[in-house]
Amino acid sequence: MNDLRNGEAPHPQALQSDSGFGRALTSTNAASLAVVPSSAPAAPSRWRRRLLLGLLFVVVAAGGAEYWWQHRVPPLPAGIVAGNGRLEADPLDIATRFAGRIQELRVDEGDMVKAGQILALMDVKDLETSLRKSEAQVEQATKAVAEARANVAQAHTQVVLARQQMERAESLLKNGWITRELFDQRRQQLESAQAMERAVNARVLAGEAALNAAQHEVELFQVHIADNTLVAPRDGRIEYRIANVGEVLPAGGKVFTLLDVGYVYMDIYLPTAMAGQVRIGSDARIVLDAYPGRPIPAKVSFIAAQAQFTPKMVETRTERDKLMFRVRVRIDPGLSRSHAEAVRSGVPGVAYVRLDPEIAWPQGLQGAP
């Protein structure tokens, strides 16, 4: 310790002699030696993280740039306007006309059906029983009419006989061979036979009317039974199955929702300046997000007569376009039916409308699907 005060380096033996100070110094050096190796790799680790983050940023930026390039909207020439929308097919509700129980379902969601195809059968046991009853009434009325017509023939013969007797009595009365009383009897018999003939003819008419009523009732039950067989009114795709077998539905109960593939369209919204130049029948193109390279030919089929607020799902180019006109662009029915398998309701896309027929479509909108 004295050597340290005098500024001289301590002798090793001196350090060893002072046990407390030596142990402290030795422990301090050991701690220093233990810390240095653990803190040395810290700087390279931070640089490695920064390098990875930088590479990740470059990859994300490159992917975003590529996506923007592939999905960017090319500039449109003057005279062609566009609007966002969704492809839609006209929905048709397949519903019951009468209350009843579903007996059989022959299609399901997603199935393609043809016009006239049977989709579902309703339980018609009660109607079939009523039909058999009406058919029996028709048979009964037919026999009644036949009997009435036979009575007409019989009554006619009575009239003929009574007329002949009346004519003979009239001749005999002129010669004085019979009395006036007998002549009056013959005349009364003739009038009675004629009245009977008229009555029998009336019965024939009544029987024929009853027969017609029974026949119409049979036809009515046949129509009701046919109406309980649900058929597809048009070609299309089953979008929803709303009811199941065994369910009892009221009159007008929905069983299916059918998408008419012959009426496929897209509604877009255009501001006043653009909508005012659109005409019914204007040429158009529909480009779906799912098929960006396959423009679909279409025509403008409807233009709203009144402006409305822009729906929230429709994006506009400027915030000041608050009131828009709905314009419907419809695909040709023959074209949509020929591609019925590809029709998907709700697919987003863009509809392009050509305001000036003299303007040629851009290269990317000239093709057909």
Side-chain angles (χ1 to χ4, degrees), residues 156-230:
H156 182 68
T157 59
Q158 295 294 331
V159 170
V160 172
L161 178 61
R163 183 178 290 111
Q164 292 174 352
Q165 292 177 349
M166 176 65 183
E167 292 175 353
R168 286 194 296 269
E170 186 178 5
S171 177
L172 293 175
L173 180 63
K174 290 180 180 179
N175 296 326
W177 293 344
I178 61 173
T179 62
R180 185 74 182 180
E181 181 180 1
L182 183 59
F183 174 77
D184 291 340
Q185 291 177 356
R186 296 290 182 268
R187 183 172 61 184
Q188 185 177 6
Q189 290 175 355
L190 175 61
E191 293 177 352
S192 177
Q194 290 175 339
M196 181 62 68
E197 184 181 24
R198 289 193 297 270
V200 173
N201 285 327
R203 292 194 190 98
V204 171
L205 295 176
E208 290 177 346
L211 176 60
N212 290 333
Q215 290 175 341
H216 290 320
E217 189 173 6
V218 168
E219 294 174 356
L220 179 62
F221 283 117
Q222 290 174 343
V223 170
H224 288 179
I225 292 175
D227 286 339
N228 278 276
T229 300
L230 306 183

Side-chain angles (χ1 to χ4, degrees), residues 81-85 266-268 270 284-287 329 349-353:
V81 297
N84 298 326
M266 178 180 289
D267 287 341
I268 61 175
L270 299 177
R285 295 288 188 272
I286 295 177
V287 179
V329 178
V350 180
Y352 300 86
V353 179

Side-chain angles (χ1 to χ4, degrees), residues 28-41:
T28 303
N29 293 337
S32 300
L33 292 176
V35 171
V36 171
S38 63
S39 60

